[in-house]
């Protein structure tokens, strides 16, 4: 499990074993037992799964992910393709 970012108590990470074949670029987010997964697009993200986050929290998380989308994509590509 590789942590990419910690912000506002949220931990943003991906797993080293992401399926066979490898799933498209995405990020998992965890805070206080809640968990979400966001697909990472070219310039913005989209929610894939949510277990326990409120709509308000998801908006905050989405904003953080979009603000850091190039960092997340760089970490993903660096880990899986370099």
């Amino acid at each position: 499990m590789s942590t990419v970012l910690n912000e506002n108590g949220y931990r943003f990470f991906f797993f080293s074993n992401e399926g066979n074949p490898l799933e498209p670029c995405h990020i998992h987010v965890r805070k206080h037992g809640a968990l979400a997964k966001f697909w990472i697009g070219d310039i913005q993200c989209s929610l894939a799964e949510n277990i326990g986050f409120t709509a308000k929290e998801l908006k905050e998380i989405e904003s953080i992910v979009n603000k850091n989308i190039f960092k997340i994509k760089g970490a993903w590509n660096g880990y899986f393709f370099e």
Side-chain angles (χ1 to χ4, degrees):
M1 182 174 353
S2 294
T3 297
V4 177
L5 178 68
N6 286 294
E7 188 168 323
N8 295 351
Y10 300 106
R11 184 168 62 96
F12 297 82
F13 63 96
F14 56 82
F15 295 101
S16 58
N17 178 7
E18 288 287 347
N20 188 11
L22 182 66
E23 290 186 346
C25 185
H26 63 276
I27 196 78
H28 299 271
V29 185
R30 182 178 301 273
K31 183 176 182 180
H32 303 302
L35 180 66
K37 176 179 176 179
F38 285 83
W39 297 116
I40 305 299
D42 290 334
I43 57 171
Q44 67 183 41
C45 67
S46 61
L47 180 64
E49 299 174 6
N50 174 39
I51 302 170
F53 285 115
T54 65
K56 181 179 177 183
E57 289 171 316
L58 289 170
K59 283 184 131 183
E60 179 182 15
I61 294 166
E62 182 178 7
S63 175
I64 294 168
V65 171
N66 284 331
K67 180 177 72 174
N68 291 282
I69 203 158
F70 296 112
K71 179 178 183 172
I72 293 167
K73 286 169 51 172
W76 177 276
N77 291 332
Y79 187 87
F80 289 107
F81 301 112
E82 291 183 1

